[in-house]
Amino acid sequence: MASVAGTAFAVSVRPPRRLQQVSNHLSGLKSVSFTSQRKSFVSIRSAPRFRISCAAKPETLEKVCSIVKKQLALAENALVTGESTFVQLGADSLDTVEVVMGLEEEFGISVEEENAQTIQTVQDAADMIEILLEKKNAA
Amino acid sequence: MESGVRRWLVNVSLWNPSVDQFASVVSLLPEDEQRTITKYMKFDDRKRALVSRLLQYSIVHEVLGIPYDKIIIHRTLEGKPYLINGIGSPFSNFNFNVSHHGDYVGIASDPLCLVGLDIVSIMIPEQTTEHEFMSNFSSYLTALEWKNIAKTGTSEVKLREFYRYWCLKEAFVKATGAGLGFGFHRLEFHHKNWTDISVYIDGIESREWKFSLYKIDERHWASIARGLANGADEQFDASLPVTEVGFIQRTVDQLIQSRSHGAQQNSC
């Protein structure tokens, strides 16, 4: 999908999840697969019990910020906000996996590998955690 | 004759600029690049980001001859940098890929194949064992790959094997530009003592991709992935050179000097 070097050369790879996430943002709903239930996208949308929020609660975001700081060995007063990308904070792909693992442990949730790999900002992580927490509490 | 193939490495631990020197090098780049560099929280990350960009502009200038101030590099949604104005170049699909980890920043370019580069610095967080560290990534490697790692030897050797698999997978997703969310577990690498490396994607062997691994030093390794997507043309498959070229070490000072030399040439 990525077009390279300004030519018409097109890469035929299945559209990466990040793009799917972007278009789901636009339609107001994230596509997240729940590990234990395997609900299809359509049934999630129609189930009235699940209020899928796009933005995490402030306290969730705050907790995520503090866990991220600890995992990436940042100073206590380092400025970490929802917009901060893991890359800017100094995390490489390995670090990001570890951060997600740390978040899973702290929140008692489990994130699928493909979703974990799409987390780019602290907000992405917090939003995903919020959804998984709501699902866990509703179960 | 210009082949369009480059493999460069810079050891950034050898470059220790003052705050002012650093700022003046940053100012050589386009403004939006400068803004991205300064967003990095840690100075070492800023340094790597700066050198990565110096390499990108240098490689385009050296291979395609485009004046520095005319080079426009954008990024895909996944963050992969690519040249906007390569049209008219003799190379049908000139593309490049950068990577950095630890002390090294590297760049690789190819005139035709998609190229991906990944550099790893083999280390684990303090107060963690190799085993604990690797268990974080259990779902990212396949059962066969873990089995091969387990067969090797000491924890240190196992860790190095793990990093090789990781490095190859990263190089692949970076070459295709699929980036995040591809799903590392879909890739399985087969090899004969780390030569003849091939990848199975979703259980099917891919004949379009070639891989190589390089030892940079005791702690750093690099992997290169080269391939043609869109299904291999039988013709293309035959023309993929089998042997890889080695890496050339460059210094930040060289990269900076070549810019001012390039600028002088243009003003003549």
Side-chain angles (χ1 to χ4, degrees):
Chain A
M1 141 307 122
S3 65
V4 182
T7 66
F9 191 97
V11 176
S12 75
V13 183
R14 142 188 102 90
R17 283 203 175 244
R18 182 63 191 163
L19 267 200
Q20 284 175 6
Q21 257 199 344
V22 170
S23 56
N24 287 338
H25 261 300
L26 295 175
S27 64
L29 194 66
K30 280 192 191 242
S31 164
V32 177
S33 45
F34 297 143
T35 43
S36 63
Q37 291 181 281
R38 300 270 160 229
K39 285 207 176 190
S40 71
F41 184 80
V42 169
S43 65
I44 290 170
R45 214 209 281 250
S46 60
R49 291 192 319 155
F50 293 104
R51 185 182 59 80
I52 312 268
S53 46
C54 281
K57 300 197 185 91
E59 51 266 29
T60 306
L61 180 60
E62 208 180 290
K63 193 168 171 193
V64 169
C65 283
S66 100
I67 292 166
V68 166
K69 277 192 220 184
K70 203 175 73 171
Q71 289 270 349
L72 297 179
L74 302 172
E76 262 302 310
N77 59 1
L79 181 63
V80 175
T81 66
E83 282 89 47
S84 306
T85 71
F86 284 95
V87 168
Q88 285 163 10
L89 298 175
D92 59 36
S93 54
L94 290 152
D95 292 320
T96 308
V97 171
E98 287 191 276
V99 167
V100 171
M101 298 248 2
L103 292 170
E104 285 180 331
E105 274 176 38
E106 285 282 345
F107 286 96
I109 45 148
S110 145
V111 180
E112 282 196 355
E113 178 199 313
E114 280 167 356
N115 291 323
Q117 285 184 276
T118 63
I119 293 174
Q120 288 198 338
T121 64
V122 174
Q123 189 71 51
D124 289 343
D127 291 349
M128 192 171 289
I129 286 166
E130 195 67 67
I131 292 175
L132 292 170
L133 282 175
E134 282 188 19
K135 175 244 163 183
K136 187 175 113 161
N137 294 334
Chain B
M1 196 184 87
E2 177 57 71
S3 70
V5 176
R6 294 287 188 284
R7 308 276 184 265
W8 293 344
L9 279 176
V10 174
N11 185 340
V12 291
S13 70
L14 300 177
W15 186 51
N16 295 297
S18 67
V19 172
D20 286 340
Q21 284 169 332
F22 186 77
S24 85
V25 179
V26 170
S27 68
L28 295 172
L29 294 168
E31 278 194 26
D32 53 341
E33 303 267 34
Q34 294 184 31
R35 273 193 292 271
T36 315
I37 292 171
T38 50
K39 276 205 199 132
Y40 283 89
M41 187 167 279
K42 297 182 181 166
F43 179 70
D44 277 347
D45 292 325
R46 294 190 196 185
K47 210 166 66 159
R48 283 184 278 251
L50 172 58
V51 174
S52 161
R53 282 155 177 83
L54 289 176
L55 284 169
Q56 292 170 41
Y57 286 84
S58 277
I59 218 172
V60 169
H61 176 77
E62 191 176 294
V63 174
L64 301 181
I66 302 174
Y68 277 99
D69 57 358
K70 298 275 188 294
I71 297 172
I72 306 172
I73 293 175
H74 281 189
R75 282 174 181 263
T76 66
L77 266 176
E78 280 70 32
K80 176 168 181 168
Y82 65 98
L83 180 67
I84 291 272
N85 52 340
I87 298 171
S89 96
F91 304 116
S92 54
N93 188 33
F94 177 77
N95 70 109
F96 55 86
N97 199 224
V98 284
S99 177
H100 53 71
H101 204 206
D103 294 339
Y104 288 91
V105 180
I107 193 167
S109 71
D110 201 276
L112 173 66
C113 301
L114 289 177
V115 66
L117 164 68
D118 192 54
I119 294 175
V120 283
S121 169
I122 298 176
M123 53 207 240
I124 52 171
E126 289 162 33
Q127 294 162 1
T128 313
T129 64
E130 286 89 351
H131 181 79
E132 278 165 2
F133 177 71
M134 287 191 278
S135 64
N136 287 338
F137 307 96
S138 57
S139 63
Y140 289 76
L141 267 54
T142 68
L144 174 72
E145 290 169 335
W146 283 119
K147 214 170 83 174
N148 287 336
I149 292 173
K151 280 196 277 191
T152 51
T154 62
S155 328
E156 212 180 295
V157 173
K158 289 195 175 92
L159 184 67
R160 201 170 56 226
E161 296 289 282
F162 162 76
Y163 267 108
R164 281 167 172 158
Y165 280 113
W166 184 272
C167 194
L168 287 164
K169 297 192 184 203
E170 277 278 359
F172 176 81
V173 300
K174 291 179 73 185
T176 60
L180 303 170
F182 182 86
F184 276 20
H185 59 274
R186 294 172 59 196
L187 303 170
E188 183 169 83
F189 281 89
H190 293 223
H191 59 91
K192 299 185 183 89
N193 204 22
W194 298 109
T195 59
D196 251 340
I197 304 170
S198 64
V199 69
Y200 283 60
I201 305 172
D202 295 328
I204 300 169
E205 185 177 17
S206 161
R207 292 180 57 232
E208 294 126 45
W209 289 90
K210 305 269 188 271
F211 299 88
S212 357
L213 273 173
Y214 300 88
K215 179 177 179 178
I216 301 173
D217 67 22
E218 281 313 309
R219 228 177 21 101
H220 296 84
W221 284 75
S223 66
I224 296 269
R226 286 172 69 233
L228 296 152
N230 277 352
D233 212 39
E234 287 307 324
Q235 235 177 13
F236 278 136
D237 193 47
S239 75
L240 258 185
V242 176
T243 46
E244 255 286 331
V245 308
F247 277 90
I248 295 177
Q249 297 250 3
R250 310 211 49 186
T251 66
V252 177
D253 288 328
Q254 282 172 353
L255 295 174
I256 297 169
Q257 269 160 36
S258 80
R259 291 185 72 104
S260 48
H261 182 64
Q264 275 166 21
Q265 277 185 326
N266 293 332
S267 60
C268 282

